[in-house]
């Protein structure tokens, strides 16, 4: 008997929500439905090149099945297991601030909802497994470089404690895919790949925007009811969980929870220096997860205006420092979308007004922890604010700076403190004049804050090292793994994956993964410049 027979699928989404009446796989507008059934495209020579073994164990997948041809074929899209119900969902969205109409899963096919061995469900989704009715003019496929980036970043974020979709597997397809990486007319054939993404839900803000834009309040209500019942049952009575009607107050409570989760997610992105790159409303999760790892990037030198997305180069709408404000704008669009369920604007606005205080408090707590100072100290907000103004004065590596800061003590002079964090500076010769004065001023304030905190130095060092990672998925490290993988060598991919599984621990032999970005990577495509094709 196949070991996969032990896996149980309970497809709540396709059971509860309306399906597209058509079963063909032609590109089209789909109204009155939440999804279209579609099967993955078969590939010629699938090969599993990476797996997340801890996630497999959580899903109830044993090591023997991970190594089997059946697992390989399922993760490549060549086989559908009994109980799966493959489908692509339809949604809309605001892209770069403009309403784009129908979008949908153009490069993702949901295989089915797997029941966990303990409790709960996880949707298995293949990214790059072929076209769907929502692929528009695209082929629904993915290339190795983007799939490596998706796999590594999903897992890196998870181990950093950032809510995210996970990546179970990375499979080479044996096919070639034509891509124009920077949309500059230089298309080339690249190796194809498929990532299996995993989440409790892949529902996005855009799943609510589209039915409202079409005046389909019934579909809007059914979608909201489904998400609340499956993802946030604690908001409901037992009768409502079983099917009793939800009212305006229930939808408001849900909206407030989405606001809270989204605010906390933005804090998590900011605290680790992650830049999503394309924060369209169709790329924000209704459950507060990080989804859709496209043209993302990590801050090397701290720069609030940096975005990795070449498509966003002119306006920098989705730059690092703008992410919290964009999230609030996106939440406002979600509020507009669910307004027909509440029928009054004031409570929606009141709920949205909670976003800023939630974000501000959580941001203060997170950065106070990174600095090792008391969050409730009245001087802490200004200490954080002054640091934010000082970090961009000269190029300072964000990850190395915060990690090194644990070695600074309340008795450290500004000069000795700068010596301790010296490795974080890309050009120490720039530390002169006003730049030097700014840093000396900040370290004086910092030493005073540490003294007021009165925490034992070893305890503070341990606490700071638990929130300031030694390793993040630096852009150039991901590109190096991609370069080798495209030559058929996956050793670097595996090494990097293992290092990122323990980001807060200094690992022997992994020193190079904690170093500053090299100069050659400063402007290289893939390291600092990425498009939505990345």
């Amino acid at each position: 008997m196949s070991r996969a027979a032990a896996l149980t699928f309970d497809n709540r989404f396709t059971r509860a929500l309306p399906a597209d009446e058509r079963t063909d796989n032609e590109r089209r507008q789909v109204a009155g439905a939440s999804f279209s059934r579609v099967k993955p495209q078969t590939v010629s020579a699938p090969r599993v090149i990476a797996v997340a073994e801890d996630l497999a164990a959580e899903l109830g997948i044993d090591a023997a099945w991970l190594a089997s041809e059946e697992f390989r074929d399922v993760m490549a899209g060549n086989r559908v297991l009994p109980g799966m119900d493959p489908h692509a969902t339809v949604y809309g969205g605001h892209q770069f601030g403009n309403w784009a109409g129908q979008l949908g899963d153009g490069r993702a096919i949901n295989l089915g909802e797997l029941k966990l061995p303990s409790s709960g469900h996880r949707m298995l989704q293949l990214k790059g497994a072929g076209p769907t009715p929502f692929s528009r003019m695209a082929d629904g496929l993915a290339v190795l470089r983007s799939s490596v980036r998706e796999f590594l970043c999903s897992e890196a974020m998870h181990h950093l404690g950032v809510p995210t979709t996970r990546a179970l597997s990375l499979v080479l397809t044996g096919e070639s895919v034509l891509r124009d990486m920077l949309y500059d007319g230089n298309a080339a054939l690249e190796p194809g790949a498929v990532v299996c993404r995993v989440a409790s839900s892949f529902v996005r803000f855009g799943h609510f925007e589209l039915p409202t834009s079409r005046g389909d309040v019934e579909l809007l209500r059914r979608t909201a009811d489904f998400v609340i019942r499956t993802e946030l049952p604690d908001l409901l009575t037992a009768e409502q969980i079983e099917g009793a009607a939800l009212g305006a107050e229930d939808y408001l409570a849900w909206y407030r929870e989405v606001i809270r989760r989204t605010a906390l997610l933005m804090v998590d992105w900011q605290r680790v220096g992650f830049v999503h790159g394309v924060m369209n409303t169709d790329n924000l999760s209704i459950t507060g997860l990080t989804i859709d790892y496209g043209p993302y990037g990590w801050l090397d030198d701290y720069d609030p205006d940096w975005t990795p997305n070449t498509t966003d180069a002119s306006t920098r709408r989705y730059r690092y420092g703008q992410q919290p404000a964009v999230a609030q704008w996106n939440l406002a669009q979600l509020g507009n979308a669910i307004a027909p369920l509440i029928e009054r604007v004031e409570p929606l606005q009141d709920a949205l007004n909670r976003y800023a205080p939630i974000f501000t408090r959580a941001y203060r707590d997170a950065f106070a922890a990174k600095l090792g100072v008391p969050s409730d100290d009245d001087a802490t907000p200004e200490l954080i604010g002054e640091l934010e103004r000082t970090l961009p004065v000269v190029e300072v590596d964000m990850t190395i700076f915060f990690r090194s800061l644990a070695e600074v003590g309340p008795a450290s002079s500004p000069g000795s403190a700068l010596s301790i964090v010296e490795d974080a500076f890309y050009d120490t010769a720039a530390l002169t004049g006003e730049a030097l004065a700014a840093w000396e001023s900040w370290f004086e304030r910092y030493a005073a804050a540490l003294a007021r905190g009165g925490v034992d130095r070893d305890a503070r060092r341990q606490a700071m090292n638990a929130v300031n990672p030694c390793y993040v998925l630096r852009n150039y490290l991901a590109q190096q793994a991609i370069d080798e993988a495209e030559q058929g060598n996956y050793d670097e991919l595996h090494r990097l994956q293992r290092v990122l599984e323990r980001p807060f621990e200094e690992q022997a032999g992994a020193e190079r993964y904690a170093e500053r970005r090299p100069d050659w990577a400063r402007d290289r495509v893939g390291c600092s410049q990425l498009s939505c094709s990345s």
Side-chain angles (χ1 to χ4, degrees):
M1 183 179 68
S2 164
R3 291 177 181 269
L7 303 179
T8 301
F9 289 90
D10 178 22
N11 300 302
R12 302 169 302 170
F13 186 93
T14 56
R15 189 168 63 245
L17 295 172
D20 180 7
E21 293 180 355
R22 287 177 57 176
T23 58
D24 59 289
N25 198 1
E26 296 296 321
R27 277 71 156 177
R28 60 184 181 273
Q29 293 288 307
V30 173
S34 298
F35 64 93
S36 299
R37 288 189 166 89
V38 58
K39 291 186 177 180
Q41 179 176 296
T42 58
V43 299
S44 61
R47 177 185 176 189
V48 178
I49 60 172
V51 294
E53 293 178 358
D54 65 320
L55 175 58
E58 178 186 320
L59 298 175
I61 297 172
D62 63 26
W65 195 55
L66 275 183
S68 70
E69 291 185 0
E70 185 176 49
F71 176 80
R72 177 202 67 191
D73 289 342
V74 171
M75 296 300 107
N78 282 4
R79 184 180 304 194
V80 175
L81 295 175
M84 287 180 169
D85 191 5
H87 63 280
T89 69
V90 57
Y91 48 82
H94 282 82
Q95 297 193 325
F96 297 95
N98 301 304
W99 175 243
Q102 176 180 295
L103 298 168
D105 292 327
R107 193 163 52 170
I109 297 175
N110 301 284
L111 293 177
E113 291 180 78
L114 180 64
K115 290 187 70 173
L116 299 183
S118 52
S119 63
H121 294 69
R122 293 292 182 271
M123 180 71 81
L124 305 185
Q125 181 186 87
L126 299 184
K127 183 174 181 179
T132 76
F134 315 112
S135 296
R136 292 176 285 175
M137 300 303 293
D139 56 18
L141 303 176
V143 295
L144 179 59
R145 59 180 163 82
S146 64
S147 301
V148 167
R149 287 171 52 78
E150 174 100 26
F151 180 87
L152 286 176
C153 201
S154 300
E155 294 309 288
M157 293 284 270
H158 169 72
H159 291 288
L160 284 166
V162 180
T164 179
T165 58
R166 298 288 304 273
L168 172 61
S169 61
L170 172 57
V171 178
L172 277 176
T173 64
E175 315 281 351
S176 294
V177 178
L178 187 67
R179 281 291 180 273
D180 185 350
M181 183 165 62
L182 293 177
Y183 306 125
D184 59 2
N186 293 307
L189 289 172
E190 301 185 44
V194 176
V195 172
C196 180
R197 307 197 289 190
V198 180
S200 62
S201 172
F202 285 95
V203 174
R204 304 135 186 275
F205 288 14
H207 279 98
F208 305 91
E209 289 184 284
L210 186 61
T212 299
S213 74
R214 293 170 166 174
D216 192 345
V217 178
E218 176 60 23
L219 180 56
L220 171 68
R221 186 181 303 277
R222 289 182 66 177
T223 306
D225 289 358
F226 171 78
V227 168
I228 297 170
R229 287 191 173 108
T230 56
E231 298 296 324
L232 293 167
D234 290 348
L235 296 179
L236 305 177
T237 65
E239 292 77 13
Q240 288 174 320
I241 293 173
E242 293 302 318
L246 277 62
E249 289 305 315
D250 301 307
Y251 299 123
L252 275 170
W254 164 60
Y255 184 48
R256 287 192 288 266
E257 178 61 13
V258 175
I259 289 169
R260 186 188 72 84
R261 292 188 181 197
T262 304
L264 297 183
L265 180 65
M266 293 303 106
V267 172
D268 279 329
W269 288 4
Q270 301 300 102
R271 70 174 172 84
V272 297
F274 175 76
V275 187
H276 187 280
V278 59
M279 287 180 64
N280 298 329
T281 56
D282 56 292
N283 290 337
L284 254 68
S285 160
I286 203 68
T287 58
L289 301 177
T290 311
I291 58 174
D292 287 350
Y293 291 98
Y296 69 81
W298 295 79
L299 290 184
D300 288 311
D301 58 294
Y302 181 90
D303 180 0
D305 290 330
W306 184 73
T307 176
N309 191 352
T310 57
T311 310
D312 195 25
S314 59
T315 64
R316 298 184 181 271
R317 176 181 176 86
Y318 298 141
R319 62 193 183 272
Y320 170 78
Q322 184 76 358
Q323 291 182 132
V326 170
Q328 186 173 26
W329 188 91
N330 287 351
L331 286 163
Q333 308 320 306
L334 177 63
N336 291 335
I338 66 171
L341 303 180
I342 296 163
E343 298 182 338
R344 291 185 299 132
V345 173
E346 293 81 3
L348 284 167
Q349 185 60 56
D350 289 344
L352 187 61
N353 289 343
R354 300 183 182 200
Y355 173 86
I358 293 171
F359 174 84
T360 301
R361 178 74 242 187
Y363 185 91
R364 173 176 172 172
D365 290 345
F367 275 80
K370 289 175 73 66
L371 292 172
V373 299
S375 180
D376 56 0
D377 187 328
D378 290 341
T380 292
E382 178 54 30
L383 181 70
I384 296 171
E386 185 179 345
L387 178 60
E388 291 171 336
R389 294 187 292 273
T390 305
L391 280 168
V393 171
V394 295
E395 278 192 310
V396 181
D397 189 282
M398 178 179 179
T399 302
I400 296 175
F401 174 80
F402 278 105
R403 184 72 180 191
S404 302
L405 208 56
E407 302 306 318
V408 176
S412 299
S413 67
S416 64
L418 282 168
S419 296
I420 291 170
V421 301
E422 183 177 10
D423 284 347
F425 288 84
Y426 282 86
D427 181 10
T428 54
L431 272 175
T432 60
E434 292 183 1
L436 178 60
W439 273 111
E440 289 177 338
S441 172
W442 186 81
F443 271 115
E444 286 178 357
R445 285 176 176 255
Y446 182 54
L450 292 177
R452 287 194 302 274
V455 179
D456 174 77
R457 184 163 185 170
D458 289 338
R460 178 172 56 80
R461 180 189 294 112
Q462 184 176 0
M464 290 176 69
N465 286 343
V467 296
N468 290 316
C470 187
Y471 312 101
V472 297
L473 183 58
R474 294 178 179 273
N475 313 312
Y476 82 92
L477 293 176
Q479 188 59 46
Q480 286 179 326
I482 291 167
D483 291 342
E484 292 200 17
E486 289 181 335
Q487 299 302 313
N489 183 348
Y490 312 111
D491 291 345
E492 183 60 20
L493 166 62
H494 299 151
R495 282 192 294 267
L496 188 52
Q497 179 187 355
R498 288 193 296 271
V499 168
L500 294 171
E501 287 173 348
R502 294 185 289 133
F504 299 102
E505 301 176 28
E506 294 184 14
Q507 302 169 42
E511 291 80 9
R512 71 182 183 88
Y513 296 103
E515 294 175 351
R516 294 190 304 266
R517 173 203 59 222
D519 284 342
W520 62 260
R522 184 180 295 273
D523 299 310
R524 182 183 166 185
V525 173
C527 299
S528 60
Q529 303 174 53
L530 297 157
S531 74
C532 291
S533 175
S534 301

